[in-house]
Amino acid sequence: MDLPVDEWKSYVFQKWSLLPKSTQVTISTAETLSDIFLHSSLLLQPEDEMFLQNLSRGYLVEKDPNAPLFYREEGNKKFQQKDYMGATVLYSKGISHSRPHTADISLCYANRSAALFHLGQHEMCLKDIMSAQMHGYPERLQPKMMLRKAECLVTLGRRQEASQTISDLESSFAAKPTLTAAQFQILQTNLCRLKMKAQEKESLTETFPAALTKALEDMDLKGENGQVPSASSSVSLRTDPLRGRYLVATKDILPGELLVKEDAFVSVLHPGEMPPLCHLESKWDTRVTNGDLYCHRCLDHTLATVPCDGCSYAKYCSHDCMQQAWDLYHSVECSLGGLLLTLGVFCHIALRSTLVARFEDASKVIRKLCGEIRNRDTCSPERETLVQTLTCDLGGESENKGKMLEPPVPGCDLNGKYESNYNAVFHLLPHTGNHSPEHRFLCALSVSALCRRLEAAGCYKPAAAVPPGSGSELDVWGVAMLKHVLQLHCNAQAITTIQHTGSKENSVTNSRQVRLATGIFPVISLLNHSCSPNTSVSFISTVATVRASQQIGKGQEILHCYGPHQSRMRAAERQQKLRSQYFFDCSCAACQNEKHSAATGPRWEAFCCRSCGALMQGDDVLICGSTSCTESVSRDHLISRLQDLQQQVGMARKLLRNDKPEGAIQLLLGCQRDAQSFLSGEHSLVGEMEDDLAQAYAALGDWQKSATHLQKSLQVVEVRHGPSSVEMGHELFKLAQLFFNG
Ligand SMILES: [Zn+2]
Ligand SMILES: [Zn+2]
Ligand SMILES: [Zn+2]
Ligand SMILES: [Zn+2]
């Protein structure tokens, strides 16, 4: 998803392999990003663009005039089954395919308002009623919708508006002979009921979750850092040749302290699983994707999306977000949806970064880019680049020249301030030399294709005069985009959210962390990696917060995990991943420790002896770890037993889903007996079975038993993921729910 789709990847790799050796050498040994870009760009042929265009056409990103009716009918089916959530999403899809001021859009809005009403989302329901009216909702259908409006207002305690709507309704009934007597009767009854309700209703106080979210958003840094404005005053920016730039604690930090609070420079929502149309049975996809539930710009969760007027894939939480996105970047991106999905999220972020950069001082940015293009070394921001960049920045302020003697930290401005802006983004390392020549060619050709489309669409208006000898302005931005795509390999930050799974009837809900978007956070990019970090990162909308997850002593480095965490992967696997994606060998404390400890494999995958219960050791043939025992068994045999057991557990889960908890418990208890004869007590499957048992007992209302099993599952999770992990948090939250219910 980050990189281009496989078809384009293999197409470009093949093109690369067929290039004359001399051309390959020219591109492989090109010393600057600009040379790589310009050489590759010259090789992009019309047939390549055609191939790419055909791939892009596979995505349904335009408004399809036949889709609204389809989605509305599908939505109505869900509505009748009382699946209001499902109905809401389908009506949203219908809305996103409708043109403004059509019957389609007004009907979809009106239907969605009904679904939202049933979900208790009264504010959103009111908004949708307004939208339905704005887009010309048919007169004859109005009364029912107005009744819903009055009901929402009553529920929300907005008495004055409610009474107004009720009396409007009454007078319109009086003037409307079109209603049948029966219809009139029903409306009258409803009105009377509403009037009474309106009189009883006290004004409502703010609901708790809203208040909580607000409290979290308002949480600010203790003292702002003069050098790094998005960081707290407890940390400071340092640089040395070995570690590059990094943050250290300037005082003792307690667990939970907020260290960084940074809004993404740009972020791009992951469309989610969105296979090209040719892979689908129906022309229209009815599945729920991220794009249906989260704002395209601010990433807020919303059921009542507002679509872009021009395309069907960009949906927002509000008109404000839509307008802001349009002004900043979507006016250019709107018609490029299919191409951007084909080229992947990294290309999309690269484009958006340059679009947003135009709003900082565009001519300054251009000058900086040209400085970079002429520069010889692109693998790292060497002194030269810095001096050059700085000269650009300097302008005429001579009093600052004294500071030139001590080169500032890359990405900082003249006053040594490191802000979350394009200047900082620009100085993130692209590690050009570490990428394979094929990969650089793929990125360069993809960006070239994007530039050609931008040029053809005429959406790139010159922002500033380009110094002679630097190519066209679009070329300059092309080089910048190539740099961003390469930077993203090491600097992209996954924006995650917690998604709740399982039906709402379940008293104990499951939750998991899912990737929602990818963003660039220049300040968070300053943090170095550790497989056992001392911070944790979380997100609200596009804002990331970094908190200390343990005590950090004064002078210690602030560390963050890039993904390979010691509780999720073994050292060898982590090293491999860090080397291939981030180009370094990890020597963090966890990696050092593991090097010294014996490689018996993680406890959550261990088998135990059937006679004495000790852990089994070895590769193909496993031997009992106890010296007084001679038991041995082949790994293949144990693996096949494990697979059988997993199948049984799968069947138990099916029973649980189908509301047959008793059957599930029977089956799971059998599985447990089986597991005891060959799996270690800390095996992850053993933990999962305990979790399933906890859910089954909860479904029967036996909180006591449920809690006992959940506590056992908790022990396994702690072994596997560590005491301060997100996974542990989820389990503890479930336990709290159980204790509350019990
Ligand atoms: Zn939004
Ligand atoms: Zn659009
Ligand atoms: Zn490590
Ligand atoms: Zn044994």
Side-chain angles (χ1 to χ4, degrees), residues 566-568 604-605 684 715-722:
Q566 64 158 346
S567 63
R568 293 191 183 84
W604 59 87
E605 284 172 14
S684 43
Q715 288 163 8
V716 179
V717 170
E718 180 163 358
V719 166
R720 166 132 200 210
H721 298 289

Side-chain angles (χ1 to χ4, degrees), residues 34 506 674:
S34 127
N506 252 354
D674 190 20

Side-chain angles (χ1 to χ4, degrees), residues 297 306 316-327:
R297 190 193 78 89
V306 181
Y316 302 92
C317 68
S318 63
H319 278 279
D320 269 1
C321 261
M322 181 172 79
Q323 193 59 49
Q324 281 187 47
W326 184 264
D327 294 343

Side-chain angles (χ1 to χ4, degrees), residues 308-314 316 326 330 333-335:
C308 169
D309 285 344
C311 64
S312 65
Y313 71 94
Y316 302 92
W326 184 264
H330 192 68
E333 291 178 4
C334 187
S335 62

Side-chain angles (χ1 to χ4, degrees), residues 465-720:
V466 177
S470 309
S472 74
E473 188 192 334
L474 201 53
D475 281 342
V476 174
W477 287 114
V479 178
M481 280 192 255
L482 176 57
K483 181 170 184 178
H484 297 324
V485 171
L486 295 174
Q487 285 170 332
L488 280 162
H489 249 264
C490 301
N491 292 290
Q493 173 68 50
I495 299 178
T496 55
T497 186
I498 305 291
Q499 223 163 51
H500 299 278
T501 51
S503 61
K504 51 181 181 302
E505 289 82 34
N506 252 354
S507 44
V508 182
T509 51
N510 262 322
S511 49
R512 63 194 179 113
Q513 205 173 16
V514 292
R515 187 169 183 161
L516 188 59
T518 302
I520 307 189
F521 297 84
V523 176
I524 292 180
S525 285
L526 295 174
L527 300 176
N528 281 328
H529 165 84
S530 163
C531 304
S532 68
N534 51 19
T535 60
S536 69
V537 183
S538 59
F539 302 88
I540 295 176
S541 301
T542 56
V543 177
T545 53
V546 178
R547 285 170 193 282
S549 60
Q550 51 186 260
Q551 201 155 343
I552 304 172
K554 184 178 173 180
Q556 276 187 322
E557 184 172 356
I558 311 296
L559 296 160
H560 148 66
C561 178
Y562 293 176
H565 194 282
Q566 64 158 346
S567 63
R568 293 191 183 84
M569 283 177 210
R570 287 198 237 173
E573 206 182 329
R574 299 200 305 262
Q575 292 286 359
Q576 196 263 329
K577 187 150 172 61
L578 290 167
R579 210 169 295 140
S580 65
Q581 195 181 344
Y582 299 96
F583 313 119
F584 72 89
D585 294 312
C586 187
S587 54
C588 75
C591 285
Q592 297 286 357
N593 284 343
E594 252 172 273
K595 232 187 249 169
H596 300 302
S597 69
T600 46
R603 282 186 284 170
W604 59 87
E605 284 172 14
F607 297 106
C608 74
C609 173
R610 63 173 179 172
S611 359
C612 72
L615 290 185
M616 301 293 278
Q617 293 170 354
D619 292 323
D620 292 342
V621 175
L622 294 154
I623 300 163
C624 178
S626 159
T627 44
S628 56
C629 180
T630 55
E631 201 68 55
S632 77
V633 63
S634 81
R635 184 175 287 273
D636 287 347
H637 174 71
L638 291 174
I639 299 274
S640 94
R641 278 190 74 183
L642 181 62
Q643 283 166 346
D644 288 346
L645 188 60
Q646 275 164 334
Q647 213 171 10
Q648 294 274 312
V649 173
M651 275 160 64
R653 284 185 191 147
K654 212 168 179 182
L655 288 174
L656 198 54
R657 274 199 303 275
N658 294 335
D659 272 342
K660 298 197 178 81
E662 290 98 343
I665 291 171
Q666 283 276 298
L667 197 51
L668 284 167
L669 291 175
C671 290
Q672 254 191 335
R673 277 191 295 276
D674 190 20
Q676 273 158 14
S677 68
F678 76 111
L679 294 182
S680 92
E682 287 155 346
H683 195 284
S684 43
L685 186 61
V686 171
E688 285 167 28
M689 285 191 290
E690 294 289 357
D691 196 277
D692 293 334
L693 277 166
Q695 286 195 39
Y697 281 115
L700 291 174
D702 189 340
W703 313 117
Q704 199 60 50
K705 276 211 173 108
S706 180
T708 312
H709 285 289
L710 196 60
Q711 275 165 321
K712 284 188 199 152
S713 148
L714 218 82
Q715 288 163 8
V716 179
V717 170
E718 180 163 358
V719 166
R720 166 132 200 210

Side-chain angles (χ1 to χ4, degrees), residues 242-550:
L242 214 75
R243 280 184 282 192
R245 300 170 297 177
Y246 60 99
L247 295 178
V248 291
T250 52
K251 52 181 92 145
D252 289 337
I253 292 169
L254 290 174
E257 188 179 327
L258 183 60
L259 301 177
V260 177
K261 184 178 177 186
E262 182 183 25
D263 197 358
F265 177 73
V266 297
S267 58
V268 166
L269 180 70
H270 281 218
E273 296 306 313
M274 209 171 135
L277 290 175
C278 47
H279 299 177
L280 284 175
E281 286 167 27
S282 149
K283 194 172 161 203
W284 298 298
D285 193 359
T286 53
R287 287 169 311 166
V288 186
T289 65
N290 280 343
D292 296 315
L293 297 174
Y294 297 91
C295 177
H296 203 75
R297 190 193 78 89
C298 74
L299 307 179
D300 269 350
H301 183 271
T302 176
L303 282 173
T305 49
V306 181
C308 169
D309 285 344
C311 64
S312 65
Y313 71 94
K315 294 169 228 175
Y316 302 92
C317 68
S318 63
H319 278 279
D320 269 1
C321 261
M322 181 172 79
Q323 193 59 49
Q324 281 187 47
W326 184 264
D327 294 343
L328 280 171
Y329 48 79
H330 192 68
S331 52
V332 174
E333 291 178 4
C334 187
S335 62
L336 302 176
L339 182 64
L340 292 170
L341 284 170
T342 312
L343 293 181
V345 170
F346 283 178
C347 270
H348 196 164
I349 295 181
L351 170 65
R352 196 173 284 182
S353 298
T354 59
L355 293 173
V356 171
R358 297 178 305 172
F359 293 92
E360 289 181 23
D361 186 350
S363 57
K364 197 160 114 186
V365 173
I366 296 262
R367 265 183 292 145
K368 189 175 300 182
L369 291 172
C370 294
E372 175 85 358
I373 286 168
R374 286 196 224 94
N375 199 281
R376 295 273 88 190
D377 185 6
T378 50
C379 297
S380 60
E382 297 294 322
R383 290 277 150 84
E384 236 182 305
T385 329
L386 285 176
V387 174
Q388 208 153 4
T389 316
L390 208 68
T391 325
C392 289
D393 281 352
L394 262 174
E397 299 165 66
S398 54
E399 59 174 324
N400 282 317
K401 276 203 172 124
K403 290 187 184 165
M404 290 279 290
L405 295 171
E406 201 183 311
V409 180
C412 290
D413 68 10
L414 275 177
N415 303 311
K417 216 172 178 178
Y418 186 90
E419 281 182 280
S420 193
N421 59 16
Y422 192 68
N423 185 38
V425 169
F426 193 74
H427 282 95
L428 299 174
L429 297 186
H431 293 281
T432 313
N434 291 103
H435 297 282
S436 71
E438 291 94 332
H439 182 76
R440 288 189 303 231
F441 185 62
L442 170 68
C443 296
L445 214 63
S446 302
V447 170
S448 305
L450 188 54
C451 288
R452 294 262 175 99
R453 270 290 294 278
L454 288 169
E455 197 174 17
C459 33
Y460 233 98
K461 292 183 196 77
V466 177
S470 309
S472 74
E473 188 192 334
L474 201 53
D475 281 342
V476 174
W477 287 114
V479 178
M481 280 192 255
L482 176 57
K483 181 170 184 178
H484 297 324
V485 171
L486 295 174
Q487 285 170 332
L488 280 162
H489 249 264
C490 301
N491 292 290
Q493 173 68 50
I495 299 178
T496 55
T497 186
I498 305 291
Q499 223 163 51
H500 299 278
T501 51
S503 61
K504 51 181 181 302
E505 289 82 34
N506 252 354
S507 44
V508 182
T509 51
N510 262 322
S511 49
R512 63 194 179 113
Q513 205 173 16
V514 292
R515 187 169 183 161
L516 188 59
T518 302
I520 307 189
F521 297 84
V523 176
I524 292 180
S525 285
L526 295 174
L527 300 176
N528 281 328
H529 165 84
S530 163
C531 304
S532 68
N534 51 19
T535 60
S536 69
V537 183
S538 59
F539 302 88
I540 295 176
S541 301
T542 56
V543 177
T545 53
V546 178
R547 285 170 193 282
S549 60
Q550 51 186 260

Side-chain angles (χ1 to χ4, degrees), residues 48-252:
D48 305 333
E49 287 183 80
M50 277 299 287
F51 182 83
L52 192 55
Q53 206 169 0
N54 281 332
L55 286 177
S56 314
R57 281 207 195 97
Y59 294 97
L60 185 55
V61 289
E62 283 160 29
K63 291 191 190 290
D64 180 341
N66 298 315
L69 179 62
F70 168 80
Y71 283 124
R72 202 167 76 239
E73 284 173 350
E74 290 296 308
N76 291 347
K77 283 183 207 160
K78 295 264 179 202
F79 193 94
Q80 269 146 25
Q81 296 158 13
K82 295 198 166 46
D83 176 2
Y84 301 118
M85 195 72 88
T88 302
V89 170
L90 289 167
Y91 294 140
S92 295
K93 284 181 191 278
I95 292 169
S96 68
H97 277 285
S98 312
R99 295 269 163 213
H101 306 291
T102 55
D104 275 333
I105 200 166
S106 71
L107 291 171
C108 283
Y109 268 124
N111 286 12
R112 194 173 73 180
S113 78
L116 288 168
F117 181 81
H118 283 280
L119 290 170
Q121 302 289 340
H122 299 107
E123 293 279 5
M124 285 188 216
C125 172
L126 283 176
K127 269 191 200 149
D128 272 7
I129 291 173
M130 262 167 53
S131 300
Q133 285 176 315
M134 200 179 82
H135 291 285
Y137 193 61
E139 192 68 31
R140 64 192 159 81
L141 300 172
Q142 289 272 358
K144 213 173 151 192
M145 196 168 73
M146 287 301 95
L147 208 56
R148 192 179 306 137
K149 179 178 175 184
E151 188 116 25
C152 280
L153 290 167
V154 168
T155 314
L156 290 168
R158 286 152 67 172
R159 276 199 261 173
Q160 206 124 54
E161 292 164 83
S163 323
Q164 185 61 48
T165 311
I166 291 171
S167 65
D168 284 355
L169 257 174
E170 278 177 324
S171 50
S172 84
F173 290 164
K176 207 142 307 148
T178 48
L179 287 172
T180 65
Q183 281 174 321
F184 188 74
Q185 191 65 49
I186 294 168
L187 285 168
Q188 268 315 350
T189 323
N190 276 323
L191 266 181
C192 284
R193 185 177 51 79
L194 257 185
K195 266 198 211 160
M196 277 164 63
K197 209 170 153 190
Q199 278 156 10
E200 297 164 3
K201 197 81 194 174
E202 292 294 306
S203 71
L204 274 178
T205 48
E206 197 176 14
T207 53
F208 177 64
L212 183 69
T213 314
K214 200 168 174 309
L216 280 169
E217 276 167 0
D218 288 346
M219 199 101 72
D220 273 326
L221 294 163
K222 255 198 212 159
E224 200 176 273
N225 189 311
Q227 186 188 21
V228 188
S230 314
S232 96
S233 55
S234 307
V235 302
S236 142
L237 175 57
R238 298 279 166 80
T239 175
D240 74 37
L242 214 75
R243 280 184 282 192
R245 300 170 297 177
Y246 60 99
L247 295 178
V248 291
T250 52
K251 52 181 92 145
D252 289 337

